[in-house]
Every structure is written in structure tokens, then in C-alpha cells.
Amino acid sequence: SSNDLAGLSVIPIPWRRSERVVVDVGLDLNEGDMVQPWVAEQVDGLVSAILPDAIAVDPMLWGAMTAAEASGQPWASLSHNPYTIRGMSLDVRGPGISPPRTFLERCGHFATTAQRYAAQRPAVQRVNALRGHYGLPPISDLAEMYRRAPLTIATTAEPFEYRRDDWPAGYIFVGPLIWEPGTSDCLN
């Protein structure tokens, strides 16, 4: 059943837990929750049943992103931060670490990047299996999954992010989404 939120008809998909996968660098990655072929199937069913004007998905729901991309409908990623959108002046490892400037720092950066790619390999293989099922090209790393959306709506403001001049063309900042009292019962 659909709910009306801010004048839009919204159809929520119930969540369920999947298996947990521990990758070799000690990260506890809930890989099954990230890839979710069952979410892709639900998105397919909804798209077929209601033919939406557009689809908005959370970028952490790789199954939903895959189904949205394959649907042929206009779609967007509704992202709470741009952490996964790498920039030329940003360090891949995350906030607060200076970009490499010396040869030794670049070597360390390269080693860290290689380790991250190796740790991501099982998840990338699962994502690519799902993408292959939908006739979509494979991705080379998980960050690429976040760049697949033709439009990414960031619910933050650019002044809160690291200074950079290379934001992707389809990336817009809209500021925070404000939770309105009285709407919580429609999500139960």
C-alpha cells in the first residue's frame, strides 16, 4: 500500500536482515544487506505494477540501485553524504587525512587503495552477478556503484564537505531533509 508524503505517493519496501560477511581486513560487512537481490525483485515488481514517473533509492541499497538502473525509468540516488565520491584533492581513506603529497605518502596511498580493492572483491563479485542478471555492465569497485545514478541528491550542504572543484555533473546538494512530526505512523 502507498502512503502520501509531501504530496508524493511513496511505497515503502519492508526490510529484512541477511547474512553477515567478515572480510579479511577485519571489517564486518553486512554484504547480504547491501547487495539484496530480493530488494531488486521487489523494485522490479513495483515498477511493473505502478509504472512510476521516477525512482529514488538509497545508495546503500545496491539491489535497488541495480533494479532502478535496469528499469529504464528516470532514477536518482538520495544520498546523505558524498563520502564515496572520490575527488582528485581528497584521500581515499576518508575524512581528516591529508591527500598524499610526497613519494612515500603516494606509495602508502597506493597500498591502502590496493588493500581496499582486495577487501571489496567478494562484494564486487556479488554486485556484478546481480548486475549481470539485469544485463548491466560490471563495476570495477564499490565506489563505482555510487556513481551509477544519473542524479545524486545529497542531503547535506556543500560548505560542510571538503573543498573541491571536481564534483560529478549529476551531483546536487539540497541541504538536510527535515523530519516532519506526524509522519512516523505511515512508516510503521
Side-chain angles (χ1 to χ4, degrees):
S1 80
S2 73
N3 299 295
D4 188 57
L5 289 174
L8 298 173
S9 179
V10 177
I11 300 175
I13 296 176
W15 187 250
R16 68 179 185 198
R17 293 272 302 150
S18 297
E19 73 278 7
R20 295 190 80 77
V21 176
V22 179
V23 294
D24 61 358
V25 292
L27 299 174
D28 185 9
L29 176 66
N30 203 344
E31 184 181 317
D33 282 352
M34 301 293 281
V35 180
Q36 336 87 353
W38 61 272
V39 173
E41 292 168 8
Q42 286 189 333
V43 170
D44 277 345
L46 289 171
V47 168
S48 297
I50 64 172
L51 298 172
D53 293 328
I55 303 167
V57 296
D58 184 310
M60 296 300 287
L61 300 177
W62 301 336
M65 289 183 73
T66 298
E69 182 179 349
S71 73
Q73 297 294 110
W75 71 286
S77 168
L78 186 61
S79 179
H80 64 283
N81 70 49
Y83 172 68
T84 55
I85 308 295
R86 237 182 118 190
M88 293 305 293
S89 61
L90 301 177
D91 187 64
V92 69
R93 292 168 284 172
I97 301 172
S98 298
R101 290 184 175 79
T102 68
F103 175 75
L104 287 177
E105 288 175 349
R106 283 190 291 278
C107 288
H109 181 83
F110 177 79
T112 300
T113 301
Q115 181 183 25
R116 287 174 58 110
Y117 282 130
Q120 292 176 4
R121 195 167 312 136
V124 170
Q125 289 171 343
R126 288 190 63 187
V127 169
N128 282 337
L130 183 61
R131 291 179 62 76
H133 173 76
Y134 281 89
L136 297 173
I139 59 169
S140 59
D141 63 56
L142 295 179
E144 186 179 344
M145 192 68 203
Y146 297 104
R147 296 187 303 266
R148 299 299 305 173
L151 174 65
T152 298
I153 303 165
T155 59
T156 184
E158 191 171 2
F160 292 132
E161 302 306 325
Y162 290 105
R163 176 181 240 167
R164 59 189 284 184
D165 298 323
D166 59 348
W167 290 108
Y171 205 90
I172 61 168
F173 290 91
V174 297
L177 299 181
I178 306 300
W179 185 260
E180 296 183 25
T183 59
S184 62
D185 59 330
C186 71
L187 299 177
N188 292 331

